[in-house]
Amino acid sequence: MAEHDLTSRLLSPRSSDQPHTVLTVHDGEDSEPSDRPPSNQQYSIQTRIPYHNHNHNGINNENGHVSCQNPYEFLGSVGFSVPAPSTVDPFRNGTPFISGVYEMIKIVLCLPIALARLVLFGACLAVGYIATRIALEGWKDKQYPMPKWRSRIMWVTRVCARFILFSFGYQWIRRKGKPAPREIAPIVVSNHVSYIEPIFYFYELFPTIVASESHDSMPFVGTIIRAMQVIYVNRFSPASRKNAVNEIKRRASCDKFPRVLLFPEGTTTNGKVLISFQLGAFIPGHPIQPIIVRYPHLHFDQSWGLVSLAKLMFRMFTQFHNFMEVEYLPIIMPPDHQKQNAVHFAERTGQAMASALNVVQTSHSYGDLMLLMKAAQLQKEKPWSYMVEMARNESLYHISSLEAVDFLDKFLSMNPDNSGCVKRHDFLRVLQLKKACTLSEEIFGFLDVEKNGSITFKQFLFGSAHVMKQPPFRQACELAFAECDVGGDNYCSKEELADILRQAIPDLNEDEVDGLFTLFDADNDGRISVDDFLCCLRKNPLLIALFSPRLLHRDFVKI
């Protein structure tokens, strides 16, 4: 992307005889950090662009495509690029269904064995639960290390965990290497493929784990992980993540606590790749021992994927034997000035684990799993095509996973075809944009980077995020509302909105005005507040182009 001086022209005038206007925006102290330029000084963006209407039709080029201008140049945008779609699905189970004569015969033969295994599983879970309740009885100060006599009682539960692994078909587990002493490597990290690894590590290491808050309410499991002095974290709360990092550091610094175990991928994968690492294990700056887990198989993929827990357990119960390999890798020491090098520390650890597993590490994250599950729940033809490698998107555009899911909801309402593409008329229908309008063509053409008449979710998300990332975006939204608030009562009526919109699309009819007004009026109270207005543009940032003629036709100063 070309760099612009803050006072240079962002758009070239069409001709010298047309009037010119100036938009001046000064960033205030209330701006979000992501909207600020590198310095703390106020900035001024001056664009000299002639005002033009968007009521004429687009001009076709030699290939028959509509030649569109960039409708977001007034924000400083010079377009965006979309990385090629990834062909890797890190969450897909290789054998989601029972297939083949061998598997059918094996399952039939193993049914009596499965019943015995189920009884063993239930008995071990019950005994372990009772032992855990006894170990926790009367223990109030859970912020301190568990007393030794309570830890000895927990050995009963740990032995039960090994029998549970046996019931799942893991009669023996191949190990390579040894766990480092806790005082040398107080933090261990592992790849995460199935629910089997936590059971194994509970038996093998009895570590403190970091888990989602939702695990606490799980029957039996919640009680057992509380005995591991679990560190709860809400992955969507920055404050919760910060507290978790502080707690990891506190416990890793005290030799009386057990070592801390984290799954830095944040979710399970199919074991064929590593996905991006969260930084919680690496920020504290303690030596880390990576551990890798493999599940060699020919007929039954033991990874979780989108397979239901009941189905996965049934498949495990009906196998003669399930293979599992655990390898303890050499300790990785943190670099100097760890707080500034947590990303580098995570990269080194990821590279070591990927090399040992002989796989690649992708930019997918838990956010991609959320997108995949959303598309799968709505029974889309190719749900994996909606993944966008969220770690890269978060880094480039600061779009959270929850925001990405909201954008996917919007995109899916546009009725994508079986290939995951949306046509222009469906895109314009959902955004309430006039079909026979050059501005609408320009907005769609901005996203249609391949110029093939359709857009993918990745193009829709990256394009929307690109617009929001432009430094003047937030100020432009606030100024647009100020223009709509003609009466100065901090509300925008339908008539006031219509007057502004018709400066961009003069032939907008009443039904089209009603559609756009409904889109902005989030609480359906018949008027648009500033919160309604800004919320709508946050969810539909592409609509800021509707206000560009008004913004460019007058001078604004934002202190």
Side-chain angles (χ1 to χ4, degrees), residues 168-407:
F168 283 126
Y170 299 94
Q171 290 88 359
W172 65 87
I173 297 172
R174 182 183 176 186
R175 296 172 177 81
K176 182 178 180 181
K178 294 182 179 180
R182 189 252 181 253
E183 57 271 17
I184 297 178
I187 299 176
V188 295
V189 297
S190 172
N191 62 317
H192 199 6
V193 179
S194 180
Y195 61 87
I196 295 299
E197 301 101 52
I199 301 174
F200 170 79
Y201 289 130
F202 175 78
Y203 162 71
E204 180 93 341
L205 302 174
F206 191 53
T208 290
I209 63 171
V210 179
S212 171
E213 294 174 344
S214 60
H215 287 71
D216 186 66
S217 59
M218 296 176 65
F220 299 102
V221 175
T223 300
I224 293 174
I225 65 175
R226 281 196 293 274
M228 301 170 70
Q229 296 186 268
V230 61
I231 300 172
Y232 289 117
V233 61
N234 180 347
R235 70 175 81 233
F236 303 116
S237 169
S240 177
R241 294 198 302 268
K242 182 178 180 180
N243 291 336
V245 169
N246 292 335
E247 192 63 16
I248 291 169
K249 186 174 183 179
R250 183 179 77 89
R251 299 194 187 187
S253 301
C254 178
D255 290 338
K256 293 184 179 180
F257 277 106
R259 71 194 79 209
V260 182
L261 166 68
L262 296 99
F263 299 102
E265 294 170 291
T267 186
T268 56
T269 69
N270 56 17
K272 297 178 181 178
V273 299
L274 282 180
I275 62 175
S276 62
F277 281 4
Q278 302 297 313
L279 299 180
F282 309 97
I283 293 175
H286 291 279
I288 286 177
Q289 182 174 32
I291 311 173
I292 58 173
V293 179
R294 306 181 187 89
Y295 294 91
H297 65 276
L298 290 177
H299 305 284
F300 167 52
D301 184 355
Q302 299 153 63
S303 65
W304 204 331
L306 296 182
V307 181
S308 69
L309 178 60
K311 183 177 180 179
L312 194 60
M313 291 177 64
F314 174 78
R315 294 293 301 277
M316 287 184 174
F317 284 147
T318 54
Q319 303 293 314
F320 294 124
H321 175 72
N322 289 310
F323 292 90
M324 179 179 181
E325 298 177 355
V326 179
E327 182 177 355
Y328 295 91
L329 300 181
I331 297 171
I332 298 181
M333 303 301 293
D336 296 333
H337 308 294
Q338 173 53 31
K339 289 185 178 180
Q340 289 76 30
N341 289 279
V343 174
H344 179 57
F345 194 11
E347 289 175 351
R348 289 171 52 213
T349 306
Q351 290 169 1
M353 295 174 66
S355 177
L357 286 167
N358 195 26
V359 300
V360 298
Q361 188 170 20
T362 71
S363 295
H364 293 89
S365 72
Y366 180 76
D368 289 285
L369 181 60
M370 294 173 63
L371 297 173
L372 173 65
M373 294 178 67
K374 169 67 71 172
Q377 287 170 0
L378 297 178
Q379 300 180 340
K380 292 302 175 182
E381 186 75 17
K382 299 177 180 178
W384 57 87
S385 66
Y386 295 94
M387 293 188 294
V388 297
E389 296 188 86
M390 271 302 300
R392 177 187 299 170
N393 197 35
E394 289 175 355
S395 175
L396 289 175
Y397 297 117
H398 309 293
I399 294 293
S400 70
S401 298
L402 292 177
E403 289 176 313
V405 172
D406 288 340
F407 278 112

Side-chain angles (χ1 to χ4, degrees), residues 65-82:
H65 298 299
V66 176
S67 178
C68 295
Q69 295 184 0
N70 180 352
Y72 304 101
E73 279 187 301
F74 75 100
L75 294 175
S77 166
V78 292
F80 70 102
S81 61
V82 178

Side-chain angles (χ1 to χ4, degrees), residues 522-548:
D523 52 9
N524 297 314
D525 63 351
R527 57 183 184 175
I528 303 171
S529 67
V530 62
D531 290 336
D532 291 339
F533 192 87
L534 297 180
C535 179
C536 178
L537 289 179
R538 178 71 183 179
K539 293 180 178 179
N540 306 276
L542 300 171
L543 295 182
I544 190 62
L546 294 174
F547 305 94
S548 59

Side-chain angles (χ1 to χ4, degrees), residues 488-544:
D489 58 354
N490 292 322
Y491 287 97
C492 171
S493 66
K494 183 167 69 174
E495 292 73 19
E496 291 171 333
L497 181 66
D499 290 342
I500 298 297
L501 294 177
R502 287 194 173 112
Q503 295 189 32
I505 310 175
D507 57 347
L508 205 63
N509 61 42
E510 287 301 318
D511 289 338
E512 292 162 343
V513 170
D514 288 341
L516 284 166
F517 182 80
T518 301
L519 194 63
F520 277 91
D521 184 17
D523 52 9
N524 297 314
D525 63 351
R527 57 183 184 175
I528 303 171
S529 67
V530 62
D531 290 336
D532 291 339
F533 192 87
L534 297 180
C535 179
C536 178
L537 289 179
R538 178 71 183 179
K539 293 180 178 179
N540 306 276
L542 300 171
L543 295 182
I544 190 62

